[in-house]
Amino acid sequence: MKKNLGILGIFLVVCMVASVFGQNFLTGYNLMNLTQRTSLFAIISLGAGLVIVTGGIDLSIGSVVCLAGITTPWLLVEHGWSPWVVIPLVLAGSALIGLFHGVLITRLRLQPFLVTLCGLLLYRGIARWMTSDQSQGFQGEFAGVRSIALAKFPIPLVENYQIPATVIPLVVLAVVIGVFLHRTVWGRWLLATGRNESAARYSGVPTAWLITMAYVACSLLAGFGGMLFIFDIGSAQPSDFGNFYELYAIAAAVLGGCSLRGGEASVFGIILGAATLQVLRTAIILLGLSSQLEFAVIGAVLLIGVTADELVRRFSVRRIERKQT
Amino acid sequence: MTNTHQELLRCSGLGRRYAGVPALSGIDLSIRGGEVLAIVGENGAGKSTLLKMLSGVIAPSDGDISVADADGVLRTVQLSSVRDATRAGIALVHQELNLAENLDIAGSIFLGREPARFGFLDLHSMQASARDWLARVGLDLDPTTPCGALAIAQRQLVEVAKALSCNARILILDEPTSSLSAREADRMLEIMSELRAQGKAVVFVSHHLDEVLRIADRVIVLRDGKCAGVLERGAYDRNSIERLMVGRSIEPTEQRAARDSASVRLRVSGLTSAHRRAHPVSFVVKTGEIVGLAGLVGAGRTEVLEAIAAITPHGGQVHLDDVELRGNTASRVRRGVAIVPEDRARNGIFAANHVAMNMSLAWVDRNSRVRTVDTSAERGVVGKLMERMQLRPAEPDRLLHTLSGGNQQKSVIGRWIAVSPALLLLDEPTRGVDVAARAEIHAEIRRLADSGTSVLFASSDLEEVLMLADRVIVMHEGSIAGEFTAQEVNEVAIMHLATGGAPSGSWTQTAARGKEHRRGTKL
């Protein structure tokens, strides 16, 4: 919990600035919207976190979001398939993409950066070609399926705020991944693999299998996230849907305490990281800043956060040393 | 001109604390030109700390260091960086070599101070003077050879040449022979005496008391972070050094009973490893037997061990208890194979994790209920393992990189004890480990073998091979050159085969006796 203090601090400061200077920040509608966006982005960020734990990276997340998200209404509306077929199919396809990455990385020993960079181009291209670059949407139908992402649960005695349904899969995933990482043998092995892959292999840890599974989980979560995104917004363009989402996911994981060197992760930190990025995006609009500044502001905050984190770490190490002297 | 035996460096009351805990304190020492000073001590006695302070890698917390200036007058200096130390004429040759593999020899000797003309590298003069420095250490190599292509012994000498080229008067060598074969180590010691003859002061750390006895003019013995004594040449022998190091002398170990009637545990047939000249090798290891793989560096011992554990792919067959071993390392580990790698830092440890995690990794899955880690049970087992391995300090929550090399090695071996492996493969089980820890590790290996584990270990340390092995297999150039039982083995016989000599009379006799476990390459 201690290592989440940094990101918690940044999150609170960003929220405070936004609520003091942006008049509509603390409205129920805005908070509901924020919760929804945070849940969606946190789901894909958890996947990014699992890959980063192994010391790898997945740049294809945004394109997998796009491919999975676009395929869903394309099959449902254009081809008239049943949701009972489409949803499992899209999830299985996403997992298969991860398997493809994992096998290339562990068997052929290709670098994760390259494999997933090619994935980024490949899946985006496939999505655009498949749909002839046409916008895909539900055209007002499939309300039942879309309620997976759109339903809201009222809280007793609270009037303006209802809990978005996407919080449920996020909480479930967070608990599962948290328990997995810190309580199970596989989690222990995954963290060890991230720290020193070679030493883990010499200790009899099935490193290749674990790394492959991390990429499978990442793409699966990206595909699942992509589906939720499209259920949420209703329609999207294959050319820009999910653009840069991999960077939001990686940024959230890093803000949340994942080291790009591998071997470190905090589920709570990753969710806080995703929330911070979404509050920032909202704050830029509410504060009346030019929306063209969005990337610059996010970049700056990320840089400040990572720098502050490093400085705090050094300071506390020095303080412990001094205390013991 | 430095006259020999002039005092070049003096430190008084030198000490260093880590997080308040003294790692070393009250060291008074003077180093003179034209002498070889050996630093010996157990793991964690403070040898590395002393070397690091002398070479500017870490700053002392107490005391001071004076270095002789050009007129031979001692002046107090602050060695707060390696650069400061270099300027003061002190150069460190690291235990872990750090030559840039992509540079050639000349480039790495002059790294950071390349001769240049108008900003362009003066390659010609760089290579010419590199050749001169190489000659000083007896290396006849083309300065344009890439460092990546050099053998470890050659790299070490290049490092020495680099140190000399910085006009170092004091050369500090951290375990200079630990990764060298016996012949290369001999050469290294010769070079050290040549440097002494040139008026340099040579300071070195070694765990090989034989080397110390051979070459050192003075020996400083460290124990528990303090100076246990300084012995002058003529006033010390093996016994007196060992007594000072551990506070007692070390008993020689007794011979284990022969295992002729035991069942065959490991059967290797026609194994071809990743070695560049791998010939198919075949041999067996019996239940509870300890077999040593001897040979020069690069003879293919590591490759054989790693092939058996499937770290690298192999041809041929490996049978464990008459069932063939297939699949990757993880599946072989589940069958009861355990491997302790040669390169501890790279393949053995998780430096930034705590000791408990390091020691439980190999068996945490067997200790788990429904695949969740039972943390308190884990701590309990780790505590027992640490006690059994005499791992110090006995704190499971300590980060591994704060332990000394010997204790790190104990943690890597200790990882496997809880699973009682059927076959334990050890690659250089006690490299860079002091005498007392080595004895403890050997005792543990014997205990495991007595309880039925078969042990196959590779070692460049002949003394270790002779002490530990029930049977010795000698490798040369990727194939098996011969084999001895503990009764008939001696250093000369091993070296004869390891260096490519024909099998000697005694070995032929063994062969004639038709020992059923003999499997040479001739089969």
Side-chain angles (χ1 to χ4, degrees), chain B residues 219-222 226-231 244:
Chain B
V219 180
I220 174 167
V221 184
L222 300 180
K226 294 194 179 62
C227 175
V230 180
L231 303 166
L244 276 179

Side-chain angles (χ1 to χ4, degrees), chain A residues 183 188 195-196 198 202-203, chain B residues 306 347 349 373 378 415:
Chain A
R183 288 279 172 275
R188 176 73 69 87
R195 280 267 197 236
N196 188 344
S198 171
Y202 274 84
S203 305
Chain B
E306 300 202 329
N347 302 326
I349 59 167
V373 178
E378 179 193 6
R415 184 181 289 168

Side-chain angles (χ1 to χ4, degrees), chain B residues 186-204:
Chain B
D186 271 352
R187 179 77 194 119
M188 189 74 211
L189 294 183
E190 271 170 38
I191 303 255
M192 285 162 69
S193 14
E194 276 164 30
L195 293 173
R196 164 170 62 190
Q198 290 165 20
K200 309 279 183 196
V202 178
V203 181
F204 79 112

